[in-house]
Amino acid sequence: LFPEEHLPKKEQPVRKASATKRKSTHNTSDQQAVQEALVRSEERYRMLLEIATEGITTVDRDGKITYLNDRMAEIIGRSREDMLGKSFFEFIPVDQQTMIAQQWQRHTLTETEPYEVRIDWPDGQSVYLIGMATTLLDAQKQFNGVMATAIDITARKRLDEERHRSDEKYRQIVDLAGEGIVVVDAQRKITFVNHRMAEMFGYTESGLLGAPFIDLFFEEDHASAEARHEEHRRGVRGQYELKMKREGG
């Protein structure tokens, strides 16, 4: 009755196939756009990691290094190629491995905490790092590794050590001095006393620390002692003769 090409049953499958093809092409285009956006985002974040002034590294659940930026490699004194895929424990000095192992165990319990560690370079030089380590979780909220940042504090550490040695040297000189020496703060509390001063008063050095300086004077001499202290606060220097009391009065 009708030519076969005009039958409705022949037209409908053609239209469905065409619509399905357009939908499939559209989905593929969307997926490609999302993938390209993801790649661009990853590249931006990777660039930020690479130019960071802090060392940054990630370690998987087995303790293997999966990423580190150039700054972290520079701080540790090795190349990235030498470290990637290796256990981070290989780069921790033996005398600090117990401490780091304890911190690692705490991270498996999803804790975040600061850390300080010494790293020994292949040439024998030591550097000191301070930073923050953060637990990484997988999609099931289970421990999946650690991300750590690090700052090289070697110069500050050595300065502190030098200052400590200097303080110790001068403390020995002060302690061996034949004169009694005492330091009083703005609240008139004793913050330092050498051995000779403690001996003169019949106290131990620890027994005088934190005590009000005025307690070393007889009550009738309090006003004179306060006046001398006020002069010292104003920068007036001088010698005074004052009567002070030993332990027990």
Side-chain angles (χ1 to χ4, degrees):
L1 297 175
F2 295 96
E4 188 175 349
E5 63 269 18
H6 295 300
L7 289 178
K9 63 181 180 180
K10 297 293 185 178
E11 295 175 357
Q12 188 63 26
V14 174
R15 288 196 298 270
K16 285 186 177 180
S18 178
T20 302
K21 184 177 180 180
R22 287 196 301 270
K23 184 176 180 181
S24 175
T25 302
H26 182 68
N27 288 343
T28 302
S29 178
D30 285 348
Q31 292 174 358
Q32 184 177 359
V34 169
Q35 186 65 31
E36 290 175 352
L38 180 61
V39 170
R40 288 195 298 271
S41 177
E42 289 178 347
E43 288 176 348
R44 283 197 300 270
Y45 282 113
R46 182 174 291 274
M47 182 181 68
L48 291 174
L49 292 175
E50 291 302 328
I51 65 175
T53 56
E54 293 181 326
I56 302 172
T57 187
T58 57
V59 180
D60 67 16
R61 68 181 67 192
D62 298 318
K64 301 292 181 63
I65 298 171
T66 56
Y67 170 80
L68 72 160
N69 65 353
D70 285 341
R71 180 55 181 150
M72 181 64 87
E74 179 184 359
I75 291 173
I76 297 179
R78 293 168 173 83
S79 70
R80 297 169 73 163
E81 292 73 19
D82 286 342
M83 299 182 66
L84 285 173
K86 295 181 180 177
S87 171
F88 76 95
F89 272 99
E90 293 185 29
F91 308 101
I92 304 297
V94 174
D95 63 318
Q96 298 198 56
Q97 287 189 2
T98 299
M99 175 191 69
I100 297 301
Q102 291 171 348
Q103 289 182 320
W104 177 261
Q105 181 60 37
R106 288 196 292 273
H107 281 302
T108 64
L109 303 175
T110 67
E111 290 194 9
T112 298
E113 63 178 325
Y115 69 91
E116 182 174 330
V117 67
R118 187 190 83 247
I119 298 292
D120 294 335
W121 283 13
D123 64 2
Q125 183 181 175
S126 295
V127 296
Y128 295 86
L129 315 181
I130 190 170
M132 182 69 70
T134 303
T135 299
L136 300 176
L137 303 178
D138 60 18
Q140 287 72 45
K141 305 298 183 183
Q142 299 299 309
F143 174 73
N144 198 38
V146 169
M147 181 180 75
T149 61
I151 298 173
D152 185 350
I153 59 167
T154 305
R156 189 182 79 187
K157 193 82 172 178
R158 288 174 178 164
L159 182 62
D160 289 343
E161 291 173 351
E162 183 62 31
R163 184 182 296 116
H164 178 72
R165 286 193 293 269
S166 178
D167 289 346
E168 285 298 312
K169 180 180 70 175
Y170 285 107
R171 175 179 287 274
Q172 290 176 7
I173 294 172
V174 169
D175 280 340
L176 293 173
E179 296 177 318
I181 300 173
V182 62
V183 178
V184 181
D185 65 14
Q187 286 72 44
R188 296 176 170 79
K189 297 291 183 67
I190 296 173
T191 58
F192 173 80
V193 58
N194 71 343
H195 178 73
R196 178 56 180 149
M197 179 65 82
E199 185 180 54
M200 289 166 61
F201 287 108
Y203 288 89
T204 62
E205 294 167 52
S206 59
L208 285 173
L209 290 176
F213 183 59
I214 199 69
D215 289 354
L216 298 179
F217 296 87
F218 291 97
E219 187 173 353
E220 61 268 24
D221 295 318
H222 281 188
S224 178
E226 290 282 6
R228 301 290 84 77
H229 179 74
E230 187 60 31
E231 289 178 358
H232 282 304
R233 288 187 61 188
R234 297 198 306 268
V236 178
R237 302 177 63 180
Q239 294 182 337
Y240 309 102
E241 185 174 326
L242 295 170
K243 184 171 64 173
M244 306 175 77
K245 61 182 180 181
R246 288 174 55 85
E247 183 183 22

